[in-house]
Amino acid sequence: MRAVDWIDGHIRFIDQTLLPHEERFVDTDDVRVVEDAIRSLAIRGAPAIGVAAAFGVVLAVKGKDSHGPVSIRQRVHEAVKSIGSTRPTAVNLFNALHRMNMIAERNPQASDDRLLQLLEAEAKAIQEEDIRACDRIGELGASLLGNGVSLLTHCNAGALATAGSGTALSVITTAARQGKVVRVFADETRPLLQGSRLTAWELQKAGIPVVLITDGTAASVLREGKVQAVIVGADRIAANGDAANKVGTYPLAVLANRHNVPFYVAAPTSTLDREASDGLAIPIEERTPGEVTHFAGVRVAPEGIGVYAPAFDVTPNELITAIVTEKEIFRQPYAAAIARTLELS
Ligand code: MRU
């Protein structure tokens, strides 16, 4: 199953808002459908958003009459701007859009047809790099785990969140194939339940024993010694290793630290942000209050209540035991390793 794919000139994605009840794939050649899908979390997870955005740029310029008033290069710039306004935190989105923009900038002489070919090739490269990164992250991350471990994860950093096999869940499925994993505790992940709707669904399909817990239960599970490692994904990692991920990740890191359990972040290098010196520079998306005041469409809070709904939080690097990328496993001090990696890319 591929969460986002490019098939015969159009995008196919699974509508994640419908899972686990319904497995509906959407085929579209309309960039506005892709933008709406990213906004509504039908397509979600940092690497998957980046891949969808890249193909979205191709859709925005494909089949358009280049002799019209708007040139193909202008269309690329407009699409980059428009797709870039969908969600602010996952830097994979902006890294992918930057790469697409550079194709237009660096090929000023290319004909419209040639530029379209180059854009499609770049989007495919972004997709393929992510597929390979997921597998490598799985291998490297699994090497950190001992035999007979139980793990805890938050949100969904699986195949649904990437073009490939996932990040944190790739580590878990790889370790499970190696016979190392006893069970996985999945935080339900309020308010949109990516843990119960998506991670539990993915792990169950993969035949890995999964136990669903409410977010507040994580403390007890850790205190009771039921978990040997916590592993999560990331939406943006600052130059000093501070990592933004789904809200509720930071408290997990504090808890893991309190109970001497390693806390791992698994993410491709496309999640590194060379511009953000630390976590304070990471823009945190705020979602609509309705996602908190309502549960499955039913109001569960009084009318008129004030709501604070950040979608992500930032885990300070000192609480992170290691960051697993496709290139290498980073350890403290993160700044040097991250700078070296960014220099080489
Ligand atoms: O709001 P979401 O569902 O897009 O948030 C996703 C996460 O927080 C994931 O953990 C993160 O993108 C890593 S996915 C490999």
Side-chain angles (χ1 to χ4, degrees):
M1 190 265 322
R2 286 199 171 167
V4 189
D5 207 355
W6 181 250
I7 296 167
D8 299 333
H10 70 269
I11 292 182
R12 173 171 296 170
F13 66 88
I14 187 164
D15 183 344
Q16 299 191 38
T17 63
L18 303 175
L19 289 170
H21 314 291
E22 193 186 337
E23 297 177 26
R24 187 194 296 169
F25 285 87
V26 177
D27 292 280
T28 185
D29 60 4
D30 184 345
V31 64
R32 282 163 308 184
V33 171
V34 178
E35 289 182 15
D36 286 347
I38 295 174
R39 264 193 208 96
S40 68
L41 274 61
I43 299 173
R44 51 148 296 284
I49 293 173
V51 171
F55 286 124
V57 172
V58 180
L59 292 183
V61 299
K62 205 162 124 322
K64 300 289 181 337
D65 179 9
S66 58
H67 302 298
V70 183
S71 75
I72 187 165
R73 279 174 185 75
Q74 214 173 323
R75 281 186 204 286
V76 171
H77 298 314
E78 282 169 9
V80 163
K81 201 164 162 224
S82 179
I83 301 171
S85 70
T86 51
R87 295 193 75 190
T89 303
V91 79
N92 310 58
L93 173 71
F94 303 98
N95 285 338
L97 290 173
H98 176 71
R99 282 177 61 169
M100 299 302 282
N101 216 5
M102 290 322 272
I103 293 294
E105 300 276 312
R106 288 192 183 136
N107 295 281
Q109 311 297 345
S111 68
D112 287 4
D113 284 350
R114 178 69 190 136
L115 186 56
L116 184 58
Q117 273 176 2
L118 292 170
L119 288 167
E120 188 171 335
E122 186 70 357
K124 281 185 181 154
I126 291 170
Q127 177 190 34
E128 274 151 26
E129 284 165 32
D130 190 54
I131 293 170
R132 281 197 302 275
C134 287
D135 291 344
R136 187 68 187 135
I137 286 169
E139 286 163 22
L140 285 175
S143 72
L144 291 169
L145 304 174
N147 281 323
V149 288
S150 288
L151 305 164
L152 172 57
T153 190
H154 188 70
C155 195
N156 172 267
L160 289 168
T162 65
S165 54
T167 57
L169 286 200
S170 177
V171 174
I172 291 173
T173 51
T174 306
R177 275 197 299 277
Q178 295 168 353
K180 290 177 167 177
V181 178
V182 174
R183 74 177 63 80
V184 180
F185 291 93
D187 272 358
E188 67 170 347
T189 316
R190 276 284 287 152
L192 295 181
L193 306 179
Q194 288 92 332
S196 61
R197 292 190 305 103
L198 310 177
T199 296
W201 179 79
E202 272 196 47
L203 291 175
Q204 208 175 50
K205 266 187 174 251
I208 296 170
V210 52
V211 179
L212 180 63
I213 56 172
T214 62
D215 300 345
T217 305
S220 305
V221 167
L222 281 155
R223 189 175 51 76
E224 289 159 10
K226 291 192 164 93
V227 161
Q228 285 68 53
V230 177
I231 177 149
V232 297
D235 286 82
R236 193 185 287 237
I237 299 175
N240 70 343
D242 292 352
N245 191 49
K246 179 55 55 194
V247 68
T249 300
Y250 171 37
L252 263 190
V254 174
L255 283 168
N257 201 260
R258 170 79 171 82
H259 296 288
N260 289 317
V261 169
F263 181 89
Y264 299 121
V265 171
T269 50
S270 57
T271 305
L272 299 175
D273 182 2
R274 60 177 79 229
E275 310 289 331
S277 54
D278 61 28
L280 288 174
I282 299 178
I284 300 295
E285 176 182 12
E286 276 196 46
R287 301 286 299 179
T288 162
E291 291 180 354
V292 177
T293 55
H294 289 67
F295 192 86
V298 177
R299 178 169 269 284
V300 289
E303 293 281 353
I305 195 78
V307 172
Y308 176 46
F312 302 96
D313 60 25
V314 175
T315 299
N317 69 76
E318 62 269 22
L319 296 179
I320 302 172
T321 312
I323 300 175
V324 184
T325 74
E326 78 281 16
K327 301 248 163 81
E328 59 177 294
I329 299 174
F330 299 153
R331 300 234 182 221
Q332 292 280 6
Y334 292 114
I338 291 174
R340 198 178 54 238
T341 301
L342 286 173
E343 252 166 54
L344 295 176
S345 67

